[in-house]
Amino acid sequence: MSNLALPAIVLVTLVTVTIGVYGVRFARTTSDFLVASRVVSPTWNAAAIGGEYLSAASFLGVAGLVLANGVDMLWYPVGFAAGYLALLLFVAAPLRRSGAFTLPDFCEVRLGSRWLRRLATGFVVFIGWLYLVPQLQGAGLTLETITGAPSWVGAVVVGTVVTGNVALGGMRSITFVQAFQYWLKLTALAFPVVFLLMAWQGDGRPAITDGVGEEWLLPHTGGGAPEALFETYSLILATFLGTMGLPHVLVRFYTNPDGAAARRTTLVVLGLVGLFYLFPPLYGVLGRVYTPELAENDPDAVVLVLPGVVLGMGVLGQVLGALVAAGAFAAFLSTSSGLLTSVAGVLSTDVLARGSSSGTARDFRIASLIAGVVPMVLALQVAELEVSRVVGLAFAVAASSFCPLLVLGIWWRGLTDVGAAAGIIAGGGAAALAVLLTVLGLPLEGWVGVITGHPAAWTVPLAFGVMVVVSLATRHRLPPTVGKTMLRLHAPDSLHL
Amino acid sequence: MTQPEGTQPKGGRERAQAQPEQTLPQRVRIVLAEVARRRRATRQELTEQTKVGDALIRGLIRAQLALALRLAIVVLIGLGSLPLLFVLAPGVASARIGGIPLPWLLLGVVAYPFLFGIGWVHTRMSERNEREFANLVGRPDRHE
């Protein structure tokens, strides 16, 4: 492995911390501290959303899955990007106009219910932690691949840096950090791949030689088995609809000045994220050619290992190896920061503040520590799964709980608090249960394994169905303010109603 | 309610009242305070949830939802049908363009500009819906 990789990782970490500390000097009041004063421009905001979103799952995991399983895995990046289209079509502008800063806020704005707010808080924390654990494990894997250090070292280092940074810097600093991280991640994948492709061309364009050939190249290995089709559609549903329910994505929308800006920001994000996803599959394909042995034991490491294997240990291989390692660390730092900020946000306002005044900066710091330590402990205890798989499961839970809440809440007057809660408990609860069974590694065979390993195809319709039916049955609980709320969500910004 | 109906006939009615047969428009006395009052009245219809105000905002919501659903269906057909297509038509799955298998090309490259294009269309058309709604509400002649 590259000798420059470790210094590169240290550099990225130091720069991230420095920008974080620098950002603190701007943060004057509590509201500045929490929402970056809403003065962030759409382009910065979009880059920040992209930087926060492109996690270890995108940077390492997608290439690893493609290497191991072939073309079907391309649905992961397509879905990760398409989630922003669903967000744009159904949620972006009305959500911004609602003024909600977090998902629990939205519950209260739309349905005026404190206990529904509690339930939403629980799901935000669950999704946040489920998403954080693979980030930290990915950091462990990266440091292990580069230095041979035991895998807990990376998890603890990233966990500590991020927790400290979030607790001390708040969100203003994070906007700048995240925007910087997007461009770093894009460069760190796009630049080396040019050299990798040139080397592949120079080698006479070698084909895949390890015998998987056709089967790996074609969709639905096993001749279109119904299980494979179910899994693919489940994945599509989870990723397309899950993005809008991810806690760290929604927080960012509050930093747009109005609904129209939220829409434009989302469109830019869709472009930036789509641009990024052109590159990881190339690593997976080149990995099939040059490092097929990784497919069996360590697919997530392919992005890190490939430059050294293909380009040799000369200066070029070393520099590019260091670059991808730096990009991977940027991915862990930025996504973890974003997740931690939102988990800490709901913990400080909904759990620590105990209904008194909304969370203070001090509550937020305490909440950051709690929010950071728990996933760190889990990352060390839970067995490692493929990074993208676990993240895909987090999407499934979000798609089965918050997606129906947001879509029905924004477009249907008939939603009641009881209906929303029933849908979240039925769909989100079922998805969460399926995820826990999968993560704990129970040996489930056949269709039981399929529907627990890829739950979204049945939990998303379940959540929508239960929400609608129970809302219709509890029509007397319709909030009296629903007309006013709908007007606020949908009236054009220019009217200033 | 669709927006073109909301804006166009009104202009026609105004002309019909102001100048029945003439080609030259008649001079109309404009009192600014009156205009402002009428404008406020339409806004009040909205904020006070009168029947008219309610119908107005429901119309906008329906137009925006119809737009989002139409575009979602385009994505459903364009991308969502691919897994099924690959199963039902193995020839498509094993086809190659420029040496690259078609599924890799579609999912690895083409999907992203497609998604962005749909998003771009949505941004434009939803902003147009809102502009037309704002014009409708802002029109001084709505309450005569």
Side-chain angles (χ1 to χ4, degrees):
Chain A
M1 202 60 220
S2 167
N3 293 328
L4 298 171
L6 191 60
I9 288 175
V10 173
L11 185 68
V12 167
T13 311
L14 284 180
V15 170
T16 305
V17 172
T18 310
I19 300 179
V21 172
Y22 177 69
V24 173
R25 290 168 49 197
F26 288 105
R28 298 214 175 80
T29 67
T30 308
S31 103
D32 272 2
F33 186 72
L34 288 176
V35 297
S37 319
R38 295 198 219 157
V39 293
V40 184
S41 83
T43 321
W44 272 95
N45 209 6
I49 293 174
E52 199 159 291
Y53 186 66
L54 298 172
S55 67
S58 303
F59 198 90
L60 301 179
V62 168
L65 284 174
V66 169
L67 166 69
N69 302 309
V71 66
D72 287 332
M73 296 300 115
L74 291 180
W75 283 108
Y76 275 94
V78 169
F80 290 158
Y84 279 99
L85 183 62
L87 186 65
L88 174 63
L89 294 186
F90 293 103
V91 176
L95 181 77
R96 173 58 197 95
R97 293 193 193 111
S98 78
F101 176 48
T102 64
L103 282 157
D105 280 350
F106 179 80
C107 291
E108 196 162 348
V109 168
R110 174 65 179 78
L111 296 162
S113 164
R114 300 284 296 177
W115 58 271
L116 182 60
R117 193 187 166 106
R118 287 277 156 83
L119 180 68
T121 302
F123 270 91
V124 166
V125 174
F126 181 84
I127 294 169
W129 282 345
L130 185 63
Y131 211 122
L132 267 165
V133 170
Q135 307 302 323
L136 298 178
Q137 289 181 333
L141 169 84
T142 304
L143 220 56
E144 191 182 3
T145 310
I146 290 166
T147 64
S151 65
W152 61 267
V153 177
V156 170
V157 167
V158 167
T160 311
V161 167
V162 167
T163 308
N165 213 30
V166 169
L168 298 177
M171 201 161 135
R172 158 78 80 139
S173 59
I174 284 176
T175 300
F176 296 113
V177 178
Q178 305 289 31
F180 158 77
Q181 306 272 24
Y182 171 79
W183 295 109
L184 175 60
K185 276 183 263 191
L186 183 68
T187 315
L189 273 195
F191 189 63
V193 91
V194 174
F195 291 92
L196 293 175
L197 285 173
M198 273 160 45
W200 176 70
Q201 186 85 25
D203 291 349
R205 308 172 70 153
I208 295 152
T209 51
D210 69 335
V212 291
E214 279 299 293
E215 196 187 310
W216 181 81
L217 277 175
L218 292 177
H220 299 300
T221 46
E227 289 91 344
L229 206 58
F230 179 90
E231 288 182 356
T232 304
Y233 275 110
S234 215
L235 178 66
I236 290 174
L237 217 53
T239 49
F240 278 45
L241 300 178
T243 305
M244 68 177 73
L246 295 177
H248 62 305
V249 172
L250 281 201
V251 168
R252 287 261 157 231
F253 277 80
Y254 199 61
T255 55
N256 289 301
D258 58 30
R263 227 181 251 138
R264 277 193 289 272
T265 300
T266 316
L267 184 64
V268 179
V269 176
L270 183 57
L272 291 176
V273 166
L275 177 67
F276 177 87
Y277 284 128
L278 293 175
F279 301 103
L282 290 173
Y283 282 84
V285 173
L286 289 171
R288 249 306 155 188
V289 176
Y290 288 101
T291 57
E293 70 282 357
L294 281 178
E296 292 306 316
N297 43 41
D298 204 4
D300 283 340
V302 64
V303 170
L304 301 167
V305 173
L306 209 53
V309 170
V310 177
L311 302 167
M313 275 301 147
V315 176
L316 187 64
Q318 294 249 3
V319 169
L320 295 181
L323 188 58
V324 289
F329 250 67
F332 312 136
L333 290 171
S334 53
T335 303
S336 310
S337 302
L339 285 162
L340 209 59
T341 307
S342 34
V343 172
V346 298
L347 280 179
S348 70
T349 50
D350 291 317
V351 182
L352 293 181
R354 287 183 186 282
S356 61
S357 60
S358 60
T360 61
R362 189 174 152 274
D363 281 341
F364 183 80
R365 288 192 175 140
I366 297 169
S368 308
L369 290 181
I370 300 170
V373 168
V374 172
M376 244 195 287
V377 172
L378 288 176
L380 303 180
Q381 300 296 327
V382 181
E384 278 189 39
L385 283 164
E386 285 149 311
V387 174
S388 280
R389 280 247 201 264
V390 181
V391 165
L393 292 171
F395 273 79
V397 177
S400 317
S401 53
F402 291 130
C403 164
L405 173 77
L406 286 167
V407 171
L408 292 176
I410 287 170
W411 300 103
W412 186 45
R413 283 162 196 259
L415 185 71
T416 66
D417 53 350
V418 178
I424 291 177
I425 291 170
L433 197 68
V435 166
L436 287 177
L437 289 177
T438 308
V439 173
L440 293 176
L442 295 183
L444 300 167
E445 297 294 320
W447 271 100
V448 181
V450 172
I451 64 167
T452 50
H454 295 82
W458 61 280
T459 53
V460 172
L462 178 72
F464 270 100
V466 169
M467 231 177 245
V468 170
V469 169
V470 176
S471 289
L472 288 176
T474 55
R475 222 170 298 171
H476 61 281
R477 293 189 62 98
L478 275 181
T481 54
V482 63
K484 240 188 183 91
T485 314
M486 292 312 251
L487 183 65
R488 178 164 157 206
L489 294 184
H490 294 280
D493 309 293
S494 60
L495 292 177
H496 301 294
L497 286 173
Chain B
M1 185 190 68
T2 57
Q3 272 60 32
E5 281 167 12
T7 48
Q8 297 302 1
K10 219 136 287 142
R13 191 185 58 190
E14 181 186 44
R15 221 173 298 123
Q17 285 172 350
Q19 24 149 340
E21 294 292 324
Q22 289 158 300
T23 41
L24 276 174
Q26 264 180 4
R27 286 176 71 103
V28 178
R29 197 164 151 239
I30 306 274
V31 179
L32 281 177
E34 260 169 40
V35 174
R37 202 181 58 234
R38 291 199 205 110
R39 191 175 301 241
R40 205 163 46 238
T42 320
R43 294 168 55 94
Q44 263 172 11
E45 299 257 23
L46 281 172
T47 50
E48 287 170 9
Q49 317 261 308
T50 62
K51 250 185 175 149
V52 176
D54 198 47
L56 276 173
I57 192 71
R58 277 175 194 269
L60 174 68
I61 294 173
R62 211 168 303 137
Q64 297 287 49
L65 182 60
L67 170 66
L69 287 176
R70 272 200 300 269
L71 292 174
I73 288 171
V74 174
V75 176
L76 212 66
I77 293 170
L79 272 178
S81 66
L82 287 182
L84 210 55
L85 181 72
F86 292 152
V87 172
L88 298 179
V92 179
S94 53
R96 281 167 183 260
I97 291 179
I100 302 169
L102 190 61
W104 288 86
L105 207 59
L106 288 176
L107 295 179
V109 182
V110 180
Y112 301 108
F114 171 71
L115 291 169
F116 185 83
I118 302 273
W120 186 77
V121 169
H122 176 263
T123 310
R124 279 188 60 116
M125 294 184 66
S126 59
E127 280 181 2
R128 201 185 65 189
N129 283 349
E130 288 181 351
R131 237 186 347 266
E132 284 173 356
F133 180 83
N135 287 340
L136 192 66
V137 172
R139 281 184 90 87
D141 63 324
R142 251 212 63 78
H143 283 274
E144 285 173 329

